[in-house]
Amino acid sequence: MTDLSHLARQVEQLTNAKVLCIGDVMLDRFVYGSVNRISPEAPIPVIRVERESAMLGGAGNVARNATALGASVQFLTLVGDDLPGREVMEYVANDKGVEPYIQTERNRPTTIKTRYIASGQQLLRSDNETTSDIAPATISNLSALAGQLAPDVEAIILSDYGKGVLHADVVAAAINAARKAGKPVIVDPKGSDYSIYRGATVVTPNRAEAQAATGITVNSDADAVAAATKIITECGIDNVLLTRSQDGMTLVTKGGDAIHLPTEAREVFDVSGAGDTVVACLASAVAAGSSLADAARIANVAAGIVVGKIGTAIVYPDELVSALHHHDLMIGEAKLMPLDRMVDRAERWRRKGYKVGFTNGCFDLLHPGHLSLLRQARASCDRLIVGLNSDASVKRLKGESRPVQSEAARAAVLGSLETISGVVIFGDDTPIKLIEAIKPDILVKGADYTIATVVGADIVQSYGGKVVLANLEDGFSTTSTIARMNEGKN
């Protein structure tokens, strides 16, 4: 068995991981639009807002990453008694892998980070937050809960964004309870004084954070080892995993061993949230039984995947396994995926400024008519998703003798076409659920329909999307092809 296969098998065990995540949660808002002019009031671009979205950020993104990998997460954090705080609670409640322990404090705003994006570029970020001390009673509650919850999990994450949750008393309570129970503590640190994390199993500073904490400029492997060693010896930390952007990662242990991991990124679109992915993956792997070295290797691959996405993104186990099994292939290019994954991918495409198109059909015995439809559909958008009727759905629509090819075979053929960016198999008679979830910018059907009769046309048009009717190639149909094949057989 190769080393990579060994790691892939460990990824499959992440569903056994149980972690406690403690830290600063925030609400990440994204405002998308277009810029066509400069303001007459000042030399600044004017963004015409087209849509908005929101997701959990900070420690919330760490929890999202851990549950996406299959881990179960106990989440201890603090929000304000305000509308954004309730929105955070709703997002957490919708993640079935998270068991929330969310504290509320009056007169303390929930942290909001709003990013304004046009044509795939971030124009501005605004922060609504406070870094003032949290109330003594809240510190006491958080400390008590940290001590109670730590023994019941296999690893503890401290996700420090400097917003107040990880007060020295809370950190000490979590680390002391974890060490007493023999559980590892993984810290994504903040600030320049890492002695607050004394007793932690591993801290995961990036290059700039390590430089700020040690005064050592990290330009080489030797610099990385020196900075990590200084943190270990002066701050009482067992190990350091130093993330170094394009130079990969360096793991230094208390015993002085150092492992340098080259970067796994193929194309970097956005590094925001990469540290969240690293700490979530590292802790989940350790909780599932991996050694720290193997967990670091898995986290390094995960970081390479997530920086190829836009925004505070997450990584899925199949992406990790694919990257480990097919190290020389572009990560995440498998086109057939379940709906939730396709929704995530469509959202990432839109953040890059791409128009997402959608069409659907049985595509049984692909013929020139199908190819013409798909070419026209692709010409109307930047990324084309195809909804493919399942075998059961085709049978209901076309009769007991259909389909001729299985859904797996039909998906494989569609996935081989350059015009198609993604394939989703659906079992209903219509693709309405797919359209509602994916929210395509362009909906394409053949010209044998009218816009009024296209399933989902009203939904797409309601948010400003467009419906396109593609010209049909005469003389081609799967039914007639099968009939000709069967001539003379009876």
Side-chain angles (χ1 to χ4, degrees), residues 423-444:
V423 180
V424 183
I425 297 174
F426 67 97
D428 297 327
D429 291 342
T430 76
I432 191 69
K433 292 180 181 178
L434 273 63
I435 294 169
E436 290 174 339
I438 296 170
K439 297 182 175 62
D441 303 295
I442 308 292
L443 178 60
V444 182

Side-chain angles (χ1 to χ4, degrees), residues 26-39:
M26 57 192 68
L27 194 62
D28 279 350
R29 294 195 188 279
F30 298 86
V31 179
Y32 301 95
S34 55
V35 173
N36 300 308
R37 62 191 180 97
I38 300 297
S39 172

Side-chain angles (χ1 to χ4, degrees), residues 320-485:
L320 275 170
V321 171
S322 176
L324 291 164
H325 279 157
H326 309 286
H327 211 244
D328 58 340
L329 299 178
M330 289 298 290
I331 294 171
E333 286 302 312
K335 295 181 181 178
L336 175 63
M337 59 190 70
L339 178 57
D340 58 346
R341 287 280 318 286
M342 190 61 75
V343 169
D344 179 70
R345 179 157 293 186
E347 181 65 20
R348 284 158 40 201
W349 284 332
R350 275 190 285 263
R351 290 180 192 170
K352 295 177 185 178
Y354 298 146
K355 286 189 179 296
V356 177
F358 178 89
T359 192
N360 67 280
C362 301
F363 298 103
D364 195 15
L365 295 182
L366 205 64
H367 55 66
H370 290 139
L371 297 178
S372 175
L373 170 69
L374 294 170
R375 279 195 299 269
Q376 293 176 70
R378 178 62 179 80
S380 68
C381 62
D382 300 306
R383 295 291 183 270
L384 177 61
I385 297 172
V386 174
L388 181 66
N389 290 80
S390 68
D391 289 350
S393 177
V394 175
K395 194 177 294 295
R396 289 195 303 273
L397 295 171
K398 303 290 187 178
E400 286 298 314
S401 61
R402 302 281 297 276
V404 175
Q405 294 180 306
S406 70
E407 60 192 48
R410 290 181 284 125
V413 172
L414 289 171
S416 70
L417 301 178
E418 291 184 0
T419 51
I420 295 174
S421 304
V423 180
V424 183
I425 297 174
F426 67 97
D428 297 327
D429 291 342
T430 76
I432 191 69
K433 292 180 181 178
L434 273 63
I435 294 169
E436 290 174 339
I438 296 170
K439 297 182 175 62
D441 303 295
I442 308 292
L443 178 60
V444 182
K445 287 296 287 183
D448 51 339
Y449 286 80
T450 64
I451 291 180
T453 59
V454 174
V455 171
D458 56 337
I459 295 172
V460 174
Q461 291 174 323
S462 71
Y463 53 73
K466 183 180 179 182
V467 180
V468 173
L469 300 181
N471 296 326
L472 298 179
E473 290 279 343
D474 294 331
F476 298 101
S477 79
T478 301
T479 300
S480 61
T481 300
I482 294 172
R484 286 195 298 273
M485 291 169 59

Side-chain angles (χ1 to χ4, degrees), residues 191-214:
S192 58
D193 181 11
Y194 288 5
S195 63
I196 187 178
Y197 311 117
R198 185 174 300 276
T201 307
V202 57
V203 294
T204 63
N206 60 32
R207 190 199 306 264
E209 290 167 340
Q211 290 175 177
T214 64

